[in-house]
Amino acid sequence: MTLRVSVFGTGYLGATHAAGMAELGHDVVGVDVDAAKVATLARGEVPFFEPGLPELISKHVATGRLCFTTDAREAADADVHFIGVGTPQKKGEHAADLRYVDAMIEGLAPLLTHPTVILGKSTVPVGTAARLAARVRELAPAGDAVDLGWNPEFLREGFGVEDTLRPDRLVLGVDKSRPGRIEEMARVVYADAIGRGTPFLVTDLATAELVKVSANAFLATKISFINAIAEVCDATGADVLELADAIGYDERIGRKFLGAGLGFGGGCLPKDIRAFIARAGELGVQQSLAFLYEVDAVNMRRRDHVVDLAARELGGSVVGRPIAVLGAAFKPNSDDVRDSPALDVAGRLHLKGAQVRVYDPEAMKNAAAMWPTLHFADGMADAVRGAELVIVATEWREFRDADPVALASIAAGKIVIDGRNCLDADAWADAGWVYRGLGRRSS
Ligand code: UGA
């Protein structure tokens, strides 16, 4: 059954969700306050890098099933409205900034004259959905006929299309005292995935909100766990890659997200654990999440460690030394540089006086906007030529597949820091490089 769907917010989450809904056969309107973004999307183009998304957006702009607007009135009669606006970290504090979610609800609710369903996808502090549901009932002419549920999103950047079309689970939070039509509508929206047997969990609002932040907190904890062990490996001469393989065979542990290296960044994990800690404080259960401070601290230490290691390998100081930083995005297959460990390391070395040259296959524009004083190279070879030290900071395939012999012939010094433990250490050592992994046995 075809529904009329609106998606508010057309960032990584919203634009991908909107395109996914159109692919599932619904009639979709994406709404954003950013006129330039809307104009780009309306032409069938995507203002950021997400594999597979440009094809899907242009396909459905052409079929007419997907359109974009800045005017919420054009979305007012949708059967289901999705909230996909950003919830960044508040400036100067750890809590989530809910101003965009609040503004969206204040704008949409007065336009709702017919029974409808609003589903929140944005990551919000627990308690937000109940507050918004009450506010919508207050503002909407349709009053109690507007139901608001929470349907957290688990998509990963770089795999957004796949994760939207084939999610590993669907979670729906509903106010159990007034369930309304939320579950019925969600079952229609997601009929395809539910029909394929995708787990569909209906919970209360608070649980749904907590599922999302708990999942991200767990992933962050897993990464910081292996990075903490990497520190111990460094102190003992043990090898964290072999260790992660060995413990990963235990099904209770699993090998995924045990990639030791520069740690996590991006627009989600760092700010989500901080907002979670802040919310726990408000709820009087700060002790329960005290360990997340340590998760954050271990993570930030990874960047210090790479900067210190670079200075050590160059004899104590980086001042005036040419260094190539390969990678600026927070992870491969993304142009996102929000809280990127790679860009952070490049920026710190630059501020310490090194001559840094950064190259990233997709994130150069965003990186230059965030760090205009950094030098950006034209390609990997351009970055490495004449460098005394090379740091691989994002594990793009181009870097993993790079020929260490060819790079050795153009670099001035043959020291490589593998910030993502993604290179073939033996091949680099055979090509004459001093290879330094993180938490790895030295070559
Ligand atoms: C994360 C979650 O994985 C998604 O499920 C969630 O929907 C999303 O946040 C969100 O809240 O919107 P994402 O930020 O796209 O997705 O990135 P991840 O793939 O989780 O990677 C996060 C960071 O962890 C990256 O910087 C990555 O390099 C790092 N990482 C990942 C490691 O350092 N080691 C690993 O083993 C895995």
Side-chain angles (χ1 to χ4, degrees):
M1 182 176 145
T2 298
L3 292 177
R4 286 166 308 164
V5 168
S6 84
V7 181
F8 283 76
T10 58
Y12 289 98
L13 162 62
T16 311
H17 189 67
M21 291 295 102
E23 178 72 6
L24 293 177
H26 303 301
D27 284 326
V28 186
V29 51
V31 188
D32 203 294
V33 293
D34 184 335
K37 209 187 265 180
V38 163
T40 305
L41 288 161
R43 284 196 304 273
E45 295 163 20
V46 181
F48 51 84
F49 179 78
E50 182 64 37
L53 188 59
E55 293 80 352
L56 212 57
I57 297 251
S58 58
K59 173 177 163 192
H60 290 298
V61 165
T63 60
R65 281 223 290 272
L66 179 59
C67 64
F68 294 92
T69 179
T70 53
D71 188 350
R73 283 171 300 190
E74 290 177 33
D77 64 353
D79 303 306
V80 181
H81 301 276
F82 284 100
I83 308 173
V85 297
T87 52
Q89 189 174 327
K90 265 190 192 160
K91 288 200 174 104
E93 36 180 311
H94 274 177
D97 186 346
L98 296 177
R99 79 173 78 172
Y100 305 112
V101 173
D102 286 331
M104 181 243 134
I105 289 293
E106 298 290 318
L108 174 66
L111 306 173
L112 301 176
T113 51
H114 298 98
T116 188
V117 167
I118 302 176
L119 293 179
K121 295 204 82 64
S122 310
T123 304
V124 291
V126 57
T128 304
R131 176 174 69 74
L132 295 178
R135 183 69 182 144
V136 164
R137 284 195 297 271
E138 199 176 292
L139 290 177
D144 285 354
V146 182
D147 299 313
L148 185 142
W150 217 259
N151 170 221
E153 178 57 59
F154 304 104
L155 71 78
R156 300 158 297 167
E157 286 180 25
F159 300 92
V161 171
E162 176 66 16
D163 287 351
T164 301
L165 296 177
R166 276 168 285 279
D168 51 12
R169 80 284 209 192
L170 292 160
V171 175
L172 181 68
V174 174
D175 179 348
K176 302 273 182 178
S177 67
R178 45 186 326 142
R181 294 165 56 238
I182 297 173
E183 182 176 343
E184 178 197 326
M185 292 305 268
R187 284 187 181 278
V188 179
V189 170
Y190 297 118
D192 183 69
I194 294 170
R196 261 183 287 116
T198 307
F200 180 58
L201 294 99
V202 182
T203 72
D204 55 68
L205 290 173
T207 304
E209 292 168 312
L210 279 174
V211 164
K212 171 64 201 228
V213 280
S214 305
N216 276 3
F218 189 85
L219 294 173
T221 303
K222 207 170 173 192
I223 297 168
S224 278
F225 171 82
I226 201 65
N227 280 329
I229 299 296
E231 294 180 348
V232 180
C233 287
D234 273 335
T236 54
D239 191 287
V240 76
L241 268 193
E242 291 170 10
L243 182 148
D245 287 343
I247 64 173
Y249 281 116
D250 184 330
E251 277 182 9
R252 295 168 303 173
I253 296 174
R255 182 63 177 82
K256 289 181 182 155
F257 273 66
L258 285 182
L262 256 175
F264 58 83
C268 302
L269 263 46
K271 64 111 176 147
D272 285 355
I273 60 168
R274 292 173 189 156
F276 202 11
I277 295 169
R279 186 68 184 127
E282 288 167 4
L283 295 166
V285 287
Q286 54 269 47
Q287 254 194 333
S288 311
L289 297 188
F291 72 96
L292 286 179
Y293 275 113
E294 207 48 50
V295 166
D296 201 0
V298 169
N299 191 51
M300 299 314 285
R301 269 206 306 273
R302 304 312 288 161
R303 306 171 186 193
D304 301 338
H305 176 64
V306 167
V307 171
D308 293 347
L309 184 60
R312 221 166 40 241
E313 292 298 334
L314 290 173
S317 168
V318 300
V319 176
R321 313 295 289 276
I323 298 177
V325 175
L326 300 182
F330 84 106
K331 67 173 187 180
N333 300 314
S334 169
D335 65 352
D336 195 345
V337 297
R338 286 176 294 171
D339 204 346
S340 165
L343 196 53
D344 190 4
V345 164
R348 288 193 207 192
L349 289 168
H350 167 70
L351 293 178
K352 281 176 178 287
Q355 296 178 40
V356 180
R357 284 186 309 231
V358 182
Y359 170 68
D360 187 286
E362 292 293 340
M364 304 280 267
K365 204 166 120 242
N366 288 342
M370 188 170 283
W371 265 99
T373 51
L374 274 174
H375 177 78
F376 293 93
D378 288 334
M380 178 166 59
D382 185 37
V384 172
R385 190 169 294 111
E388 293 183 43
L389 170 74
V390 175
I391 301 175
V392 176
T394 311
E395 68 275 36
W396 284 98
R397 174 159 289 283
E398 182 180 351
F399 306 149
R400 286 190 277 135
D401 290 349
D403 176 4
V405 176
L407 292 181
S409 70
I410 55 172
K414 292 181 196 47
I415 310 168
V416 61
I417 297 178
D418 184 0
R420 291 293 178 183
N421 289 335
C422 62
L423 304 178
D424 180 340
D426 292 337
W428 282 71
D430 289 348
W433 291 84
V434 173
Y435 172 88
R436 296 281 179 255
L438 303 190
R440 304 212 56 196
R441 243 186 327 266
S442 300
S443 61

